[in-house]
Amino acid sequence: MVITALAYLAWNRGRERVTAPRAAIFLNVQPVVGVSLGVLVMGDAASPFTLAGGVLVLGGLYATVRPGPA
């Protein structure tokens, strides 16, 4: 319960500093972090599809936040 409350506080603190469209882009990273932690901490197996999905999500994130012409 305390961890959940701290996570909400951290999320709301971050939302004060970042616009909603910018924050929404990073919501797609949550599953990648969850799977990565599952593999690293819990010893879960990652399939090639899991890895490909992670690469696609991170590639999309990079494409949206990189500097340069639109």
Side-chain angles (χ1 to χ4, degrees):
M1 185 74 169
V2 173
I3 296 299
T4 303
L6 291 175
Y8 275 111
L9 287 173
W11 175 256
N12 289 325
R13 178 69 59 131
R15 273 289 301 123
E16 291 174 354
R17 293 179 165 81
V18 179
T19 62
R22 185 87 168 171
I25 294 168
F26 288 92
L27 285 175
N28 295 318
V29 178
Q30 288 179 342
V32 175
V33 172
V35 169
S36 300
L37 288 173
V39 170
L40 295 173
V41 176
M42 304 298 291
D44 293 343
S47 71
F49 293 111
T50 304
L51 298 174
V55 168
L56 288 172
V57 168
L58 295 177
L61 177 66
Y62 174 75
T64 58
V65 299
R66 68 181 172 158

